[in-house]
Amino acid sequence: QTARPTVDTSPWIERTLRSEATGQEYRYLHLPGESEDAPPLLLLHGGFFDNRMFLNVHELGSRFEVFALEWPSESPLYQGRVEDYGDIAHDFLGALGIDDLYVAGQSAGGWGAIDLVSRKQDLTVRALFIIATSMFAVSPEEVEQRVELGNRALSLEPERLRAITR
């Protein structure tokens, strides 16, 4: 069994939050942002990592209020499908009260980001950033899921994702 080592996360703040909708408890790293009107940015990490992989990008706090979600080890929303990551991220955003934001996903977090942005029409997503998204799959069914998700990302309309202009 491996243990999560203790590290200095500053200037990030480690927080927890419980979703009233699902009862899920979420751990996340938070950068409040330098201005009160800084737009939110959600960071979703890959499967073999945790949210501390984003510790070195704290400069994002100069432009955004940043939330780096730690995927929960168990969730009532996880049913073994790629799409479940979008549902988990959506539940987390609902618990935060955020519906207008930027989204970035790295590796497997990219699949959660794509699913979140393509299926959750109640969100206003200013831009979607995909960082080294993996096509790793362990079965033909997972390959099919990932191809479908990739096609969904490629078909997003420009109105759904506005470019960053600031």
Side-chain angles (χ1 to χ4, degrees), residues 94-136:
L96 287 170
I98 294 173
D99 60 5
D100 184 347
L101 72 158
Y102 293 85
V103 178
Q106 185 273 333
S107 189
W111 295 114
I114 292 168
D115 186 67
L116 175 72
V117 170
S118 64
R119 284 196 312 120
K120 305 302 182 183
Q121 299 300 311
D122 61 326
L123 298 176
T124 299
V125 178
R126 298 181 188 200
L128 170 64
F129 305 94
I130 304 298
I131 308 161
T133 299
S134 168
M135 272 302 288
F136 175 76

Side-chain angles (χ1 to χ4, degrees), residues 21-126:
T22 63
Q24 178 71 54
E25 184 168 296
Y26 293 104
R27 285 189 352 201
Y28 64 101
L29 291 170
H30 182 231
L31 282 173
E34 290 183 6
S35 68
E36 287 186 26
D37 62 343
L41 167 63
L42 174 64
L43 301 177
L44 301 174
H45 68 83
F48 296 113
F49 304 99
D50 63 31
N51 60 356
R52 294 174 302 169
M53 70 174 290
F54 297 116
L55 288 178
N56 291 329
V57 296
H58 54 83
E59 306 85 27
L60 290 170
S62 68
R63 288 191 54 204
F64 300 97
E65 178 177 11
V66 188
F67 301 88
L69 173 63
E70 175 70 29
W71 294 117
S73 57
E74 294 182 25
S75 171
L77 298 171
Y78 186 71
Q79 305 297 315
R81 301 169 307 175
V82 174
E83 293 87 349
D84 299 337
Y85 288 101
D87 291 335
I88 291 168
H90 189 255
D91 185 54
F92 173 66
L93 290 171
L96 287 170
I98 294 173
D99 60 5
D100 184 347
L101 72 158
Y102 293 85
V103 178
Q106 185 273 333
S107 189
W111 295 114
I114 292 168
D115 186 67
L116 175 72
V117 170
S118 64
R119 284 196 312 120
K120 305 302 182 183
Q121 299 300 311
D122 61 326
L123 298 176
T124 299
V125 178
R126 298 181 188 200

